[in-house]
Amino acid sequence: MSNYYDGTKLLSLKDINGNKPEIFICTSNRTAGKTTFFNRLLVNSFNKRGAKFGLIYRYKYELDDCATKFYKDIRNLFFTGTEMTSKPKGKGVYHELYINGKHCGYALALNCAEQIKKLSHLFNDIDAMMLDEFQSETNNYCPREVQKFISVHTSIARGNGEQVRYVPVYMVGNPITILNPYYVEMGISERLNDKVHFLRGDGFVLEQGFNASASEAQLESGFNRAFLRNQYVAYSSQAVYLNDNKTFIEKPEGFPKYIGTLRYLGKEYGIKEYAEQGIVYCDDKADSTFPNRISVTTDDHQINYVMLKRSDMFISAMRFYFDHGCFRFKDLKCKEAILKALSY
């Protein structure tokens, strides 16, 4: 197992305040053994202490075959002769999980957070939670996913005579983008770079790893060698952030003219034109009094803002600048706001 991931150090860390973390985040290149480590940890905790676990998925349909998806690999490696089964409950809102007929945990869907809240008394025996693939390769997150994630944890971490129980969450995934909603909400995006191995925050710790053995095995694959120039191979083998592109992140020199304000995910962004250079720049210093104010999503819409689809001339002009390589951005957040606004 020396060539595979070992989360012992991550689990031993204290958070930035010296307290026991409740969220443990682990990312690295694919096939490094992250999921195997944490799945085994959950089962071992159940076998030794009777500690039940909750497997968190995004959507209800993902609960189908959850026992096989979770247990097949680790059964063959560590728990031969045993079997995990699942039983759908609450009209499929959640599944009960069993190992050799003994109730060991649950599988729940984030998108059913409201129904889970109403059934919260059923889950007060969950001792730990696991959210695998917490970063989506296609940015296919639930609407208001982080809010639903918090709701599900709150529903689970109540009862047993306590207002709030300690229920650790293991979040495991591959390095897709530092702009994933969890990193943004926890303030990780601004602090993370390729030099960071371990990161401590308030209530959480994060490990950004790289497994050389897994990378070499991926790159030695004949299939992957055939697609060596493809960005996905770099992501899966070398832990390159798949959806991040730092091109054009720089501030132009000169004196700009303010031309518009974007409101995206509750935050305002300023768009400025450097006419002499033919450059448009986006930063997080917005002029809230400027009349040209655009809301990117319906959730961002408010008084004195115009919905994006009604700003065709302005957006068309911005697309022209973008398509001709004339946009610059303060950081990846600003770039994301522009990309969302200009997307068709």
Side-chain angles (χ1 to χ4, degrees):
M1 292 294 292
S2 59
N3 288 335
Y4 294 94
Y5 175 76
D6 185 344
T8 303
K9 181 173 181 178
L10 176 67
L11 296 176
S12 71
L13 295 178
K14 302 294 185 181
D15 75 0
I16 198 169
N17 298 313
N19 299 320
K20 180 168 64 171
E22 199 159 1
I23 299 176
F24 299 85
I25 304 171
C26 174
T27 68
S28 74
N29 48 318
R30 293 190 64 175
T31 70
K34 306 178 299 295
T35 298
T36 298
F37 175 87
F38 286 100
N39 286 0
R40 183 190 186 191
L41 175 69
L42 294 175
V43 174
N44 278 337
S45 296
F46 171 72
N47 289 338
K48 294 175 182 178
R49 301 184 287 106
K52 296 180 182 179
F53 50 84
L55 306 180
I56 310 301
Y57 296 88
R58 282 196 169 84
Y59 299 103
K60 189 175 176 180
Y61 74 85
E62 294 181 280
L63 301 182
D64 294 342
D65 300 321
C66 57
T68 301
K69 288 185 285 190
F70 172 81
Y71 203 62
K72 183 178 180 180
D73 285 345
I74 60 173
R75 179 194 61 192
N76 294 337
L77 290 170
F78 312 111
F79 307 108
T80 55
T82 64
E83 181 183 12
M84 175 178 276
T85 57
S86 70
K87 294 180 182 179
K89 296 285 185 176
K91 297 183 179 179
V93 169
Y94 69 98
H95 283 219
E96 289 182 347
L97 302 173
Y98 297 84
I99 296 177
N100 284 357
K102 294 181 180 180
H103 183 215
C104 63
Y106 307 84
L108 309 97
L110 289 176
N111 219 30
C112 297
E114 186 64 27
Q115 296 95 315
I116 291 170
K117 179 181 177 182
K118 296 174 182 177
L119 301 170
S120 60
H121 60 284
L122 300 175
F123 310 118
N124 60 15
D125 55 348
I126 291 178
D127 292 296
M129 295 166 55
M130 168 85 164
L131 176 57
D132 198 9
E133 304 295 349
F134 75 93
Q135 295 190 50
S136 168
E137 289 188 1
T138 58
N139 290 324
N140 182 27
Y141 296 96
C142 298
R144 298 181 296 278
E145 176 162 325
V146 175
Q147 178 181 328
K148 292 177 180 178
F149 177 67
I150 295 170
S151 175
V152 169
H153 186 270
T154 302
S155 296
I156 289 172
R158 57 178 294 192
N160 289 343
E162 300 179 75
Q163 289 182 319
V164 180
R165 296 187 300 121
Y166 174 78
V167 180
V169 183
Y170 308 120
M171 299 175 62
V172 180
N174 302 312
I176 309 298
T177 174
I178 60 174
L179 290 172
N180 71 78
Y182 295 97
Y183 283 7
V184 171
E185 286 291 327
M186 288 189 274
I188 295 173
S189 300
E190 298 91 342
R191 301 176 58 197
L192 200 63
N193 57 53
D194 57 3
K195 303 293 191 299
V196 173
H197 190 189
F198 291 98
L199 183 71
R200 304 169 194 260
D202 190 0
F204 72 85
V205 290
L206 175 147
E207 179 179 9
Q208 185 174 240
F210 178 75
N211 188 301
S213 175
S215 176
E216 291 172 5
Q218 286 272 336
L219 292 175
E220 288 173 0
S221 158
F223 183 88
N224 283 342
R225 290 201 309 273
F227 293 98
L228 196 58
R229 296 182 180 181
N230 187 275
Q231 188 181 19
Y232 191 91
V233 173
Y235 142 71
S236 63
S237 64
Q238 300 173 39
V240 175
Y241 276 91
L242 179 62
N243 292 338
D244 285 350
N245 183 347
K246 296 184 179 180
T247 305
F248 300 137
I249 295 181
E250 60 185 21
K251 184 178 180 179
E253 296 181 358
F255 301 94
K257 174 185 176 183
Y258 198 92
I259 58 176
T261 300
L262 283 182
R263 183 176 175 83
Y264 174 62
L265 298 183
K267 186 175 179 62
E268 291 185 340
Y269 296 88
I271 305 176
K272 302 156 187 181
E273 181 183 18
Y274 290 77
E276 292 183 0
Q277 304 175 46
I279 295 293
V280 175
Y281 177 65
C282 177
D283 63 17
D284 54 5
K285 295 178 174 59
D287 181 356
S288 59
T289 66
F290 195 81
N292 186 21
R293 284 169 280 181
I294 299 169
S295 50
V296 177
T297 71
T298 54
D299 289 340
D300 295 311
H301 197 42
Q302 57 183 13
I303 296 174
N304 296 325
Y305 275 75
V306 178
M307 282 300 297
L308 183 61
K309 63 182 180 180
R310 295 172 57 190
S311 309
D312 292 338
M313 291 183 62
F314 179 76
I315 295 301
S316 295
M318 295 301 100
R319 285 183 182 134
F320 177 86
Y321 278 106
F322 187 87
D323 290 342
H324 289 79
C326 298
F327 245 105
R328 300 293 184 271
F329 313 93
K330 177 184 176 182
D331 53 31
L332 286 172
K333 283 187 177 181
C334 297
K335 187 171 185 178
E336 182 194 25
I338 292 295
L339 290 173
K340 290 290 185 181
L342 302 187
S343 61
Y344 290 90

